[in-house]
Amino acid sequence: MSQKNNPTDTANLFLSVKEVQQRIINDIKAINGIEQVGIRQALGRILAQNVVATFDTPPCDNSAMDGYAFSSKELDSQAIKDGEQTAISLKVVGQSFAGHPYQGAIAKGEAIRIMTGAAVPSDVDTVVMQEHTETPEEGLVNITTLPKALANVRKKGDDLSTGHTFLSCGKKLSPTDLAFLATQGIPEVKVSRKIRVAFFSTGDELRSIGETLGEGDIYGSNRYSLYGLLKNLDVELIDMGVIPDDRQAIEAAFLSASEVTDAVITSGGVSVGEADYVKETLEKLGQINFWKIAMKPGKPLAFGTLGKSLFFGLPGNPVAVIATFYQFVQPALKRMKGQSIVLPLEIQVKTSELLKKRPGRTDFQRGILEQSESGEFTVRSAGMQASHVLTAMSQANCFIVLAAESGSVEAGKMVTVQPFEGLIA
Ligand code: AMP
Ligand code: MG
């Protein structure tokens, strides 16, 4: 079959995974659109502003222990006798409880009873924990184990000082961040609006769940993996089903999808040289590159714009869909959401077994990352590595990334691993 090269495809050569990632990421800007939401609704959203502390937190010096607060000068004047530390004895003149600070003065030779989180008055600077004291009589405390000067006091502004930017634009807001905002009394923040993504499957062999399978038919599964992968990215989804193999239907579906979405994703029908209406329609309607990437699984990938939307044409094989989504679509969508960190996390671990590979393409092998009793992480293959085989993909908790030029890797060697984000619980 003669191959028709797209003019925008620089050469009909294989591109590396990194090269394609860079091309995609460089092309994408954060979407316009900001929403102001309550901090509970902001969980998992991408911050679209810097957040600055307007006051110090903690707002005052406070105790880290239940015990007694006193001046560190007592340690000098009372405790050190001939170089030896002894117990010191102080008069208890009041108490400071959380939410109920002590109002009076504290003179030399005096202490107050204090509770965790209670304000430490300015006359004192040291707290001894209750377990290191004795109370021989009402109104008197003996400190039996001496704390260091300034011990057990949490200083004003320890955590945040006024004017400090404590959350930056582009951060995905975690449960801790909600707490952080609450400590500053902030009820609402600006987040980037959710992106809208439509997805289709293509292929005459594909049936939907509930339909009867004819000879050679399969149930389309990519709409379901894409649903899950996109849900994990907290985007608004439009599942446009399976596209019938009809020129007009394809064109109409693409146009309507691109009008209402920020990105359109299809699976199947993008192989270079494939006689396919999907590809033809894309060439007519959009600015699309049809790339061949030196990766396994997932060689073909189409990327470009369709109207106002980004377009990703993923390969059809079920594992290739997940692998290409993880390497290219997820970073791109994160970038659109305004997220600052977009590429998959990579770590180095030992492989506990031989990993078979031929040099040529970067492998994204399905792996199981596990921890031995001594705490060491190792990785092993999750089973049969074929792009139509969901079994190993389902067992896996990571991709083992083996460089294009690499051959098989012996047991005991270090390999690069991408632990899954959202693919496993
Ligand atoms: P294609 O990229 O269209 O040549 O498809 C490659 C392989 O993936 C073929 O075996 C297809 O049957 C299969 N495939 C395509 N789309 C899907 C889908 N949505 N679910 C499951 N398998 C698919
Ligand atoms: Mg097909």
Side-chain angles (χ1 to χ4, degrees), residues 11 37-38 62 70 94 144 215 218 234 253 284 298 330 368:
V37 295
N62 69 88
F70 62 99
T144 49
E215 205 184 327
I218 57 169
D234 193 29
K284 186 173 150 200
Q330 182 162 290
I368 297 174

Side-chain angles (χ1 to χ4, degrees), residues 201-202 205-206 218-223 267-269 271 274 315-318:
S201 283
T202 69
E205 74 283 26
L206 303 179
I218 57 169
Y219 288 118
S221 59
N222 293 343
R223 274 165 57 211
S267 72
S271 299
E274 197 166 336
N317 274 308

Side-chain angles (χ1 to χ4, degrees), residues 192-249:
S192 53
R193 76 161 168 82
K194 286 197 183 188
I195 55 175
R196 275 185 298 274
V197 182
F199 57 103
F200 304 98
S201 283
T202 69
D204 279 351
E205 74 283 26
L206 303 179
R207 300 276 81 82
S208 294
I209 297 174
E211 289 177 1
T212 308
L213 291 183
E215 205 184 327
D217 290 349
I218 57 169
Y219 288 118
S221 59
N222 293 343
R223 274 165 57 211
Y224 295 90
S225 51
L226 285 173
Y227 167 86
L229 289 159
L230 289 166
K231 267 278 171 203
N232 284 339
L233 287 176
D234 193 29
V235 303
E236 281 174 20
L237 307 177
I238 308 170
D239 181 347
M240 302 199 68
V242 179
I243 301 196
D245 199 10
D246 169 282
R247 206 180 294 262
Q248 276 179 349

